Amino acid sequence: MKMLELHGLNVTYGKHRALDGVSLSTKPGEIVVILGANGAGKSTVLKSIAGICEGRVTGTMSMNGEALLGLPPHKVVERGVALVPEGRGVFGDLSVRENLMLGANPNRAREDAQANYDRLIDLFPKLAERAGQTVRTMSGGEQQMVAIGRAMMSNPTILMLDEPSLGLSPLLSKELFQNLKAVREAGLGILLVEQNARLSLGIADRGYLLENGEILREDRADVLRNDPAVQAAYLGGGASKAAPAQAAKSAPPTAHVTPPVVTVRQKAASTQSAAQVSGLDINALVSRAAQQSQPARHAPVSPASMPAKTRSATADKSTSDTLRKLLSQLEDAARAARMPETVTQTPLPPLRPASRLSSMAARSTAATPAAAVSRPDHHSPAPGGKVEIYRRRPGSSQFDRSER
């Protein structure tokens, strides 16, 4: 029977051992999934089978009894094993049909290229609709479909896929896995490496758990899917929900403890009214002051003749007046403190340079005529007396007196 088999596969990168004694098998018509965390060695298994692993590979690999270890990649394809690498690896500038026909280049697929193409179109009708479209203009899910179709055009027996749902939305991932079921029904065997354990176990027949380069477990997909340990490790912590219940069952019974009674005390009010602060009934004082402000309707009465209650009211009124005066004085003092002091100052005249003063004095002497004032001398006879002449000093408001 045709089958891909691995026995004791070891891969080392220098001193680092990536795979340690891995053994697995895949046959046509079944889907086998390899589950594991990042760095467990899942992609290294596929690269070792395809002949593109950069590390040192030892062990046994065969397809239909023919050894694969040490063969170049194109010879591995001729043995019937095709790889869809992580990241798709399509030719974005070529059309869909051109990418598909490149997959028919091996000798085993050239004679049946058209038959393989027709079979592929039956599985993926959307590829026929997009045959002339440039691949880089397609969505991620459509490009993944082109990559799978190109690998199928090599007429393989075993199809290997490395993280096919990487970068796809949940809806496209679900559609992709439905297409893989159709590929299995067409008679191909699928060796699948996938992070989405829930979807991959949903379509797989068998599964391997790979951790730190070693196969920890092999079983049917339905058994692995329902295993609490597998659920906790790969399916989103399904076992973590059962763990608290089991811990509760195994925990020893504890004595009933009555919770302590807590008494809550109300916090005292942090504010006080004006009446509490002053010790006076402010409302009564205001109303009493309003009544006293009204004009008296009766003749004044002496305090001695007043009853005790009236004398008390009079004393309260005098206290109210005193408080009112004090409040008024406080308001005046606060208002005066808020008002800025205004100081009236007489602006000084601008200073003039000495050169400017001398030039102004020269102009004043040249342009301003002497002011002559004549008046009769009262000590001399009437006409023909002395004349007094006053000349203003240059640059000042004073006059020099002379007689003629």
Side-chain angles (χ1 to χ4, degrees):
M1 184 178 181
K2 296 179 180 181
M3 183 179 295
L4 173 65
E5 295 179 297
L6 306 180
H7 294 285
L9 183 65
N10 302 309
V11 177
T12 56
Y13 294 93
K15 295 183 179 180
H16 173 68
R17 182 178 291 272
L19 296 179
D20 188 7
V22 173
S23 299
L24 56 84
S25 63
T26 307
K27 61 184 179 180
E30 72 170 354
I31 298 178
V32 177
V33 59
I34 303 176
L35 299 178
N38 289 333
K42 304 186 301 297
S43 297
T44 304
V45 173
L46 301 188
K47 291 180 180 180
S48 300
I49 299 171
I52 59 175
C53 182
E54 298 177 354
R56 183 174 179 269
V57 182
T58 59
T60 303
M61 294 187 299
S62 63
M63 179 64 190
N64 300 332
E66 298 180 3
L68 297 179
L69 185 62
L71 294 179
H74 67 280
K75 292 294 184 181
V76 176
V77 176
E78 293 289 354
R79 298 292 189 274
V81 180
L83 172 65
V84 180
E86 180 182 351
R88 308 178 188 97
V90 294
F91 298 94
D93 294 331
L94 301 181
S95 65
V96 172
R97 182 176 176 82
E98 291 171 343
N99 271 272
L100 296 178
M101 297 309 296
L102 283 174
N105 186 62
N107 293 329
R108 63 180 286 127
R110 290 180 182 177
E111 296 181 359
D112 300 330
Q114 188 60 43
N116 291 332
Y117 182 79
D118 295 339
R119 183 181 64 172
L120 184 62
I121 294 303
D122 291 339
L123 289 175
F124 306 122
K126 188 177 291 186
L127 294 180
E129 301 173 2
R130 307 291 183 88
Q133 183 175 348
T134 304
V135 174
R136 60 180 173 81
T137 63
M138 305 174 71
S139 66
E142 293 169 342
Q143 291 184 19
Q144 187 67 61
M145 191 183 303
V146 172
I148 294 174
R150 183 185 59 187
M152 292 179 61
M153 286 294 293
S154 65
N155 194 21
T157 303
I158 302 297
L159 182 64
M160 301 188 299
L161 293 96
D162 191 1
E163 302 283 357
S165 66
L166 184 65
L168 301 183
S169 65
L171 183 61
L172 291 178
S173 298
K174 187 176 181 180
E175 181 181 355
L176 171 65
F177 281 95
Q178 293 299 325
N179 294 331
L180 293 181
K181 292 175 63 176
V183 172
R184 176 185 59 185
E185 294 172 359
L188 275 71
I190 297 178
L191 181 58
L192 176 63
V193 166
E194 178 58 46
Q195 285 277 359
N196 194 331
R198 190 177 302 277
L199 284 178
S200 58
L201 288 176
I203 66 170
D205 298 293
R206 293 185 298 114
Y208 292 89
L209 301 183
L210 184 65
E211 184 176 348
N212 295 328
E214 299 181 2
I215 297 295
L216 297 183
R217 183 178 176 184
E218 174 195 358
D219 215 323
R220 298 196 316 270
D222 56 344
V223 176
L224 294 176
R225 188 171 57 250
N226 297 323
D227 191 322
V230 176
Q231 291 177 356
Y234 305 106
L235 299 180
S240 61
K241 298 179 180 179
Q246 296 176 358
K249 292 180 181 179
S250 60
T254 57
H256 179 71
V257 179
T258 304
V261 179
V262 180
T263 303
V264 180
R265 298 181 180 178
Q266 295 183 354
K267 187 178 179 179
S270 59
T271 59
Q272 294 181 348
S273 63
Q276 293 175 346
V277 175
S278 61
L280 300 174
D281 190 352
I282 303 300
N283 295 329
L285 291 177
V286 172
S287 61
R288 196 173 294 117
Q291 294 176 3
Q292 294 295 334
S293 63
Q294 297 179 359
R297 297 182 180 180
H298 305 283
V301 182
S302 61
S305 60
M306 292 182 182
K309 185 176 182 179
T310 306
R311 287 198 302 269
S312 176
T314 304
D316 291 343
K317 179 179 181 302
S318 62
T319 303
S320 172
D321 293 341
T322 303
L323 288 174
R324 189 178 291 107
K325 290 179 181 180
L326 290 175
L327 291 175
S328 178
Q329 292 176 1
L330 290 175
E331 291 179 357
D332 294 341
R335 191 179 299 108
R338 288 195 300 267
M339 295 178 60
E341 296 182 359
T342 56
V343 180
T344 305
Q345 297 180 356
T346 304
L348 298 176
L351 299 177
R352 297 178 180 176
S355 58
R356 186 176 179 185
L357 291 174
S358 60
S359 61
M360 290 177 60
R363 287 198 301 271
S364 175
T365 305
T368 306
V373 180
S374 62
R375 64 181 180 85
D377 188 1
H378 296 285
H379 301 284
S380 61
K386 295 180 180 180
V387 178
E388 295 179 356
I389 298 175
Y390 293 85
R391 293 180 181 273
R392 189 176 65 183
R393 295 179 182 178
S396 66
S397 59
Q398 297 181 4
F399 292 82
D400 296 331
R401 176 176 172 275
S402 62
E403 296 181 357
R404 290 185 181 179

